[in-house]
Amino acid sequence: MNRHQGDRSKGKSNRKGNRKKSFSNYAKENTSSKKPNKSQKHSDEIRLNKYVANTGVCSRREADVHIATGLVSVNGKVITEMGYKVKPADEVRYDGARINPEKKAYVLLNKPKGFATTTSEGKGRTVMDLVANATSARIKPIGRLGRNSKGLLLFTNDETIHKKFTNSKNGVARLFHIELDKNLKLEDLKKIQNGFKFEGKLIEVEEISYIDGASKKEVGLKIKNTGNTIIRTIFEHFSYDILSLDCVAIGHLTKKDIPRGHWKHLTEQELNTLRML
């Protein structure tokens, strides 16, 4: 179910959103629900260090230290055993205070311009203002979009999903619609597609092409990097300035039915497909 906040400028997003985007391939996955069997019930148990880390009080490595020093108890008993497993119904306390792991949340925002991608306060308008009413979980954005960039941004408190995105080789590809200050030369497009060295590092993209029906100032770029700094680096290297940068797809996730400035929770099917990418 969508909730609405922020900029309601549908007109601009619809105008460009209706253009055909190159190399967009969206997976579909059927899911089925089954009653848990006995072996599945045991899967509800998780390691104590992971349980503590999931509450957000510390990392899993730090949790190991806290457990070893006797700061964690389960059902009134101090546990110092590494690998100890707990059930969801167990009472777990850290330094005397009861803790509970948050329910995982996955929020997809269609970011408008003018909002910084940060969880820090004192930075003016941020993307956290736009998703403030989405969930009580302590979600954070995966990757960054510049203040003047727009498009899809995924928020979650699921560290596994965070790690999937930050793996530049095996991560999740994003598709950007980019408008440059001048036509992109075919020779430069091919150099970007083939990969090039910058400051001793190989810069690679998944795909790049001109946008069908538009001028050669507009290109589609697919890349497995979580930020947009690398994108600006690519075009600055070839002496182009980016006038507009819009993330139009994250893996199989698109902006369909998400007006600019609005958000939605991922469906179970979308989440399952994301995990399989």
Side-chain angles (χ1 to χ4, degrees), residues 65-117:
V65 176
H66 298 322
I67 293 168
T69 54
L71 284 177
V72 181
S73 67
V74 179
N75 300 328
K77 180 182 177 182
V78 173
I79 302 297
T80 57
E81 173 190 343
M82 292 297 108
Y84 186 89
K85 291 187 176 182
V86 294
K87 303 180 183 67
D90 287 339
E91 180 184 282
V92 181
R93 291 183 178 270
Y94 168 74
D95 201 18
R98 185 165 185 179
I99 55 177
N100 290 290
E102 290 181 330
K103 182 179 180 181
K104 296 293 186 290
Y106 310 86
V107 177
L108 186 64
L109 170 72
N110 187 355
K111 176 189 174 299
K113 288 184 177 181
F115 291 82
T117 304

Side-chain angles (χ1 to χ4, degrees), residues 162-176:
H162 266 276
K163 289 178 182 177
K164 178 184 283 288
F165 274 84
T166 53
N167 187 322
S168 60
K169 290 186 178 180
N170 302 313
V172 179
R174 296 171 183 238
L175 178 62
F176 291 87

Side-chain angles (χ1 to χ4, degrees), residues 3 21 31 50 52 56 58 106-107 159 164 172 176 183 188-189 191 208 222-223 233 263 265-266:
R3 299 191 182 182
K21 302 297 187 297
T31 58
K50 182 178 180 181
V52 174
C58 62
Y106 310 86
V107 177
E159 288 302 320
K164 178 184 283 288
V172 179
F176 291 87
N183 289 344
D188 290 338
L189 182 145
K191 288 177 183 178
I208 183 171
K222 184 182 285 188
I223 189 170
T233 298
W263 54 264
H265 290 287
L266 295 191

